[in-house]
């Protein structure tokens, strides 16, 4: 069973900044978000990986614009941070996994992100196409990797964990090479932990190097005020009965005499902390953003421990700072965490505070799941029954749908680059 060298699990940072929030599904006007400030502050705080997709409206352009600045070029060499993107999904009901579209999509992402290579490319939402189409796209991505060096690692992403497992197993059997990464979303949360209970053993057996856990709030389901409403209205696939159960659980949590008992605060801490440990088997030893200087050349010097990888999206710098505070508190609570706190300049009392918060969160999480009852581990259909892929001309590059630009933002930039041929570029 051959594997990409070095394995992704030795390099990928365990905390990844997601940019699905740079999209009109989650925000009415993504161009109004302080996306450049978010990216710059994330880098300054030690975040060294960003996840995006052409499907996320203008997210690639916004992320690329933030990275293509003197601040980033002067302080953060390209080799010091990871860029993860995706291919295949064009719109809600349009997918193209053909070799020609994959090559076009990779080239366009390189241009949008202002980079000469991509660290990891996923096939996006694989459950919407056939296994044969997934195999075609994975094969083409690996061909691009081997022939041009324009990308380094290849994975798949999607929602139903059984489908993800089946495809990871199929790709290993058909190609003899395991996937570098399988990203699951909304499957390791307070409400649903099927990623751990069902998928982990199968991913390990299929040789998958890293399994990032995304959308720890279940696409915004686990929020006191309900699911997010963007420019397209209510997009969330959850049934009203599940939403009602979440609201009841939120109300119960609010009534507890415990600081920061708001359901989203509990859900974020619980998922990040639990997956950091449970997901370690398919985690990474990359830069953990602990505040301690890290060197890619010496993994053992910096961390000999694999940590479960999580993807966290934010819409402003305040949310980013809250996320980093929680993340570093979790690190302080791990074995050896007191030394981590000392080495990073935090207080020696931070480990004690972390363990106390862990106790409170576990109590609240147990109560919330009890209120949810039979809705624990419920999953919605993906795709919906009767779904039909409306892509009718797979070999012709087409513009991707994006929201209208705000006047003072990227209105002067072309959001779609023409041409589908790939160019080899020097790597930096």
């Amino acid at each position: 069973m051959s594997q990409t060298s070095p394995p992704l699990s030795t390099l990928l940072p365990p905390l990844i900044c997601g940019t699905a929030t740079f999209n009109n599904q989650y925000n009415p006007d993504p161009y109004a978000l302080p996306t450049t400030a978010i990216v710059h502050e994330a880098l300054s705080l030690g975040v060294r990986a960003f996840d995006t997709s052409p499907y996320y409206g203008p997210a690639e352009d916004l992320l690329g614009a933030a990275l293509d600045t003197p601040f980033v070029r002067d302080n953060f060499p390209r080799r010091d941070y990871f860029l993860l993107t995706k291919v295949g999904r064009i719109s809600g009901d349009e997918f193209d996994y053909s070799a020609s579209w994959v090559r076009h999509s990779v080239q366009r992402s390189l241009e949008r992100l202002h980079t000469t290579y991509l660290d990891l490319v996923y096939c996006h939402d694989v459950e919407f196409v056939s296994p044969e189409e997934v195999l075609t796209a994975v094969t083409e991505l690996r061909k691009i990797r081997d022939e041009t060096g324009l990308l380094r690692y290849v994975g798949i992403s999607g929602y139903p964990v059984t489908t993800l497992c089946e495809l990871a197993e199929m790709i290993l059997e058909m190609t003899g090479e395991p996937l570098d990464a399988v990203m699951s979303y909304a499957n390791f949360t307070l409400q649903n932990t099927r990623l751990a209970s069902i998928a982990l053993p199968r991913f390990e057996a299929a040789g998958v190097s890293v399994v990032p856990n995304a959308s720890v709030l279940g696409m915004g389901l686990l929020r006191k005020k309900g699911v997010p409403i963007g420019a397209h209205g209510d997009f969330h696939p959850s049934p009203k009965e599940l939403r009602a159960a979440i609201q009841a659980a939120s109300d119960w949590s609010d009534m507890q005499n415990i600081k920061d008992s708001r359901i989203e605060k509990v859900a974020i801490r619980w998922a990040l902390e639990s997956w950091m440990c449970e997901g370690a088997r398919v985690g990474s030893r990359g830069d953990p953003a602990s505040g301690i200087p890290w060197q890619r050349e010496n993994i053992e010097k910096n961390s000999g421990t694999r940590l479960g990888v999580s993807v966290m999206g934010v819409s402003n710098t305040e949310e980013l700072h809250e996320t980093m505070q929680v993340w570093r508190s979790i690190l302080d609570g791990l074995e050896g965490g007191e030394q981590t706190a000392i080495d990073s300049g935090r207080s020696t009392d931070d480990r004690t505070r972390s363990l106390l918060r862990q106790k409170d969160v576990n109590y609240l999480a147990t109560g919330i799941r009890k209120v949810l009852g039979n809705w624990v581990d419920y999953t919605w259909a993906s795709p919906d029954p009767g779904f039909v892929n409306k892509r009718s001309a797979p070999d012709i590059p087409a513009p991707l749908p994006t929201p209208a630009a705000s006047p003072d933002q990227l209105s002067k930039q072309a959001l779609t680059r023409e041409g589908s041929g790939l160019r080899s570029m020097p790597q930096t």
Side-chain angles (χ1 to χ4, degrees):
M1 182 168 63
S2 62
Q3 191 175 53
T4 310
S5 181
L8 186 60
S9 60
T10 66
L11 295 175
L12 186 67
L15 180 63
I16 300 170
C17 181
T19 65
T21 50
F22 297 3
N23 185 9
N24 63 343
Q25 271 191 326
Y26 289 92
N27 289 286
D29 182 5
Y31 293 95
L33 299 177
T35 51
T36 295
I38 290 171
V39 172
H40 289 184
E41 190 68 7
L43 287 166
S44 298
L45 290 169
V47 176
R48 293 293 181 267
F50 299 90
D51 175 87
T52 189
S53 171
Y55 174 59
Y56 301 156
E60 282 190 324
D61 278 298
L62 292 170
L63 175 58
L67 294 171
D68 188 32
T69 55
F71 173 76
V72 175
R73 289 193 297 269
D74 294 345
N75 296 284
F76 304 98
R78 174 63 183 88
R79 68 184 303 276
D80 286 352
Y81 59 88
F82 287 70
L83 291 179
L84 295 66
T85 192
K86 306 173 186 73
V87 298
R89 183 157 201 174
I90 298 171
S91 66
D93 55 7
E94 204 171 359
F95 293 78
D96 193 337
Y97 275 53
S98 67
S100 60
W101 181 263
V102 166
R103 295 176 74 84
H104 164 74
S105 186
V106 166
Q107 184 63 55
R108 184 182 53 191
S109 292
L110 290 165
E111 295 171 0
R112 287 176 168 179
L113 293 168
H114 302 280
T115 184
T116 57
Y117 68 94
L118 301 166
D119 293 283
L120 170 60
V121 179
Y122 296 105
C123 298
H124 199 171
D125 288 341
V126 289
E127 68 267 27
F128 287 83
V129 299
S130 68
E132 292 78 14
E133 289 172 287
V134 176
L135 183 60
T136 294
V138 168
T139 300
E140 188 64 23
L141 286 171
R142 288 174 173 174
K143 183 178 179 182
I144 296 168
R145 175 197 66 190
D146 296 340
E147 293 181 354
T148 71
L150 295 176
L151 61 94
R152 296 181 172 178
Y153 297 95
V154 176
I156 62 174
S157 73
Y159 178 65
V161 295
T162 52
T163 300
L164 294 173
C165 291
E166 290 165 359
L167 288 170
E169 293 160 351
M170 181 270 290
I171 289 167
L172 175 61
E173 180 181 358
M174 297 295 291
T175 70
E177 179 183 348
L179 289 165
D180 297 307
V182 176
M183 185 170 72
S184 168
Y185 69 92
N187 277 300
F188 192 83
T189 71
L190 266 182
Q191 180 266 324
N192 171 22
T193 58
R194 288 164 58 87
L195 181 59
S197 61
I198 293 176
L200 272 190
R202 294 179 67 177
F203 286 144
E204 286 186 285
V208 177
S209 185
V210 178
V211 179
N213 178 43
S215 195
V216 300
L217 292 181
M219 294 167 38
L221 176 66
L222 291 161
R223 303 195 315 164
K224 179 181 176 67
K225 62 182 181 181
V227 300
I229 305 298
H232 292 171
D234 185 350
F235 71 92
H236 204 283
S238 57
K240 63 181 181 179
E241 295 84 0
L242 173 55
R243 299 185 189 195
I246 296 293
Q247 186 60 57
S250 175
D251 293 342
W252 175 88
S253 190
D254 284 342
M255 289 188 295
Q256 307 311 300
N257 188 26
I258 296 176
K259 183 181 178 181
D260 291 332
S261 61
R262 192 179 177 102
I263 191 169
E264 50 262 58
K265 288 183 176 289
V266 177
I268 290 172
R269 171 85 187 214
W270 184 87
L272 291 177
E273 190 159 34
S274 299
W275 187 249
M276 188 182 286
C277 298
E278 290 197 48
R281 294 148 53 186
V282 285
S284 176
R285 297 191 300 170
D287 186 347
S290 65
I292 302 173
W294 189 92
Q295 293 176 315
R296 185 184 298 203
E297 291 81 2
N298 194 342
I299 303 295
E300 296 298 336
K301 177 181 177 182
N302 297 282
S303 174
T305 303
R306 291 178 76 173
L307 302 175
V309 178
S310 292
V311 183
M312 282 293 298
V314 299
S315 297
N316 53 61
T317 55
E318 291 77 15
E319 291 178 357
L320 174 64
H321 280 273
E322 288 180 14
T323 298
M324 293 305 299
Q325 183 177 19
V326 171
W327 178 260
R328 286 179 173 167
S329 175
I330 294 169
L331 292 174
D332 293 342
L334 297 177
E335 183 177 353
E338 184 174 354
Q339 191 61 47
T340 299
I342 293 172
D343 292 345
S344 62
R346 296 189 291 278
S347 167
T348 56
D349 294 332
D350 280 303
R351 175 171 170 81
T352 300
R353 285 192 287 267
S354 175
L355 294 175
L356 289 173
R357 179 58 178 164
Q358 180 187 88
K359 182 179 178 181
D360 286 345
V361 166
N362 284 340
Y363 166 79
L364 292 167
T366 299
I368 288 169
R369 287 171 66 85
K370 185 175 180 179
V371 174
L372 291 177
N374 292 334
W375 290 104
V376 169
D377 284 352
Y378 169 87
T379 59
W380 46 81
S382 181
D384 290 331
F387 170 80
V388 176
N389 182 5
K390 294 186 177 180
R391 186 68 165 167
S392 58
D395 293 325
I396 302 174
L400 301 192
T402 59
S406 298
D408 60 343
Q409 295 290 333
L410 297 178
S411 57
K412 294 182 180 180
Q413 296 187 11
L415 296 184
T416 304
R417 311 293 198 265
E418 296 300 327
S420 60
L422 286 169
R423 303 188 300 272
S424 296
M425 299 182 183
Q427 298 181 19
T428 59

